[in-house]
């Protein structure tokens, strides 16, 4: 679900009596996970309103991402339990390899040290840390990178065709800010890289 105008999003939250200060777990589960910020998000002049909407946009994205990470972690724990008892099947081996690759872990063989590193790497990011990072990197959703590229966490790339070049980038620099198809992809990429 998406809201092209911030006032439509504000009405949705108001109609459903949702505020960041009183948000319950069951409400969080039902909140829309937006693909992108409303296109006029930069036009919000009421700072408290802007902050409230930003919280309500990023919280379900972070919640969804953390749930996916916990599912991957649970899978690793289950595969590790089986590994301790008997040989893994091809699907389990492929899953360990896929997750090792996804989380940038080098591996020579599937063994206890690899499972230990996987468990260290595949874990949720505290919500407060993720929200704080999104606030800082996107300027409360006001940055050009957040609006044009769904980059609420400000991940860098050195492949300019994959990102948005900062307007005031020093001449001797070659970085860009990654752009994403949606906000969840930005959050997932950031959490995997932590």
């Amino acid at each position: 679900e998406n809201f092209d105008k911030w006032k439509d999003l504000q009405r949705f939250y108001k109609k459903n009596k949702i505020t960041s200060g009183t948000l319950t777990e069951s409400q969080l589960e039902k909140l829309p996970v937006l693909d992108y910020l409303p296109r006029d998000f930069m036009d919000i002049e009421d700072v408290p309103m802007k902050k409230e909407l930003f919280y309500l946009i990023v919280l379900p994205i972070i919640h969804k991402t953390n749930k996916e990470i916990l599912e991957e972690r649970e899978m690793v724990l289950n595969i590790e339990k089986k590994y301790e008892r008997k040989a893994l099947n091809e699907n389990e081996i492929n899953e360990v390899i896929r997750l090792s690759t996804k989380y940038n872990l080098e591996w020579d063989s599937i063994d206890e040290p690899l499972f230990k590193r996987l468990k260290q790497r595949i874990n949720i990011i505290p919500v407060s840390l993720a929200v704080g990072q999104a606030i800082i990197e996107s300027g409360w959703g006001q940055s050009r990178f957040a609006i044009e590229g769904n980059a609420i966490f400000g991940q860098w790339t050195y492949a300019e065709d994959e990102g948005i070049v900062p307007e005031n980038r020093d001449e001797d620099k070659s970085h860009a800010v990654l752009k994403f198809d949606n906000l969840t992809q930005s959050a997932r990429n950031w959490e995997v890289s932590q």
Side-chain angles (χ1 to χ4, degrees):
E1 188 171 351
N2 268 307
F3 296 84
D4 286 326
K5 301 199 177 300
W6 70 266
K7 286 186 179 182
D8 295 336
L9 187 60
Q10 179 191 31
R11 276 192 285 281
F12 170 83
Y13 293 134
K14 196 173 209 173
K15 175 184 167 195
N16 291 290
K17 297 179 174 80
I18 297 170
T19 67
S20 63
T22 61
L23 193 61
T24 65
E25 181 76 22
S26 64
Q27 285 178 318
L28 186 57
E29 290 284 336
K30 295 174 187 167
L31 282 180
V33 176
L34 302 185
D35 286 336
Y36 51 84
L37 293 168
R39 297 300 177 211
D40 62 351
F41 202 73
M42 291 177 74
D43 299 338
I44 302 173
E45 294 180 10
D46 181 338
V47 174
M49 174 57 61
K50 174 177 44 179
K51 290 180 177 182
E52 175 70 5
L53 289 176
F54 188 77
Y55 281 126
L56 292 172
I57 290 168
V58 300
L59 286 172
I61 292 166
I62 294 165
H63 179 73
K64 176 184 178 191
T65 302
N66 276 339
K67 275 181 68 172
E68 292 169 359
I69 291 170
L70 286 176
E71 288 169 7
E72 289 177 338
R73 183 176 175 77
E74 186 67 27
M75 185 181 316
V76 167
L77 293 171
N78 289 335
I79 293 172
E80 180 186 33
K81 284 179 191 172
K82 182 177 177 195
Y83 170 81
E84 292 169 353
R85 295 187 320 266
K86 58 185 173 180
L88 300 178
N89 65 37
E90 186 178 345
N91 287 340
E92 293 159 337
I93 291 169
N94 289 338
E95 195 58 31
V96 171
I97 292 168
R98 182 188 74 79
L99 289 170
S100 297
T101 302
K102 179 178 182 176
Y103 285 89
N104 299 317
L105 293 173
E106 292 184 22
W107 58 276
D108 294 326
S109 62
I110 295 175
D111 54 16
E112 284 300 323
L114 178 60
F115 281 111
K116 182 178 180 180
R117 290 194 317 275
L118 281 166
K119 291 184 297 188
Q120 288 171 336
R121 242 356 231 105
I122 304 174
N123 211 340
I124 62 171
I125 300 289
V127 173
S128 59
L129 177 65
V131 170
Q133 183 76 17
I135 290 167
I136 291 167
E137 292 296 340
S138 74
W140 290 97
Q142 303 294 290
S143 76
R144 177 171 68 101
F145 308 114
I147 300 294
E148 293 177 18
N150 293 312
I152 56 175
F153 292 99
Q155 301 98 316
W156 281 19
T157 180
Y158 290 95
E160 287 187 10
D161 60 325
E162 294 178 9
I164 301 169
V165 176
E167 290 175 355
N168 297 320
R169 181 179 73 180
D170 293 340
E171 286 185 33
D172 62 332
K173 303 294 183 196
S174 61
H175 69 281
V177 176
L178 277 172
K179 55 186 173 187
F180 297 95
D181 293 334
N182 57 58
L183 295 170
T184 301
Q185 192 180 53
S186 175
R188 191 69 170 113
N189 180 280
W190 178 73
E191 290 204 5
V192 166
S193 68
Q194 296 307 302

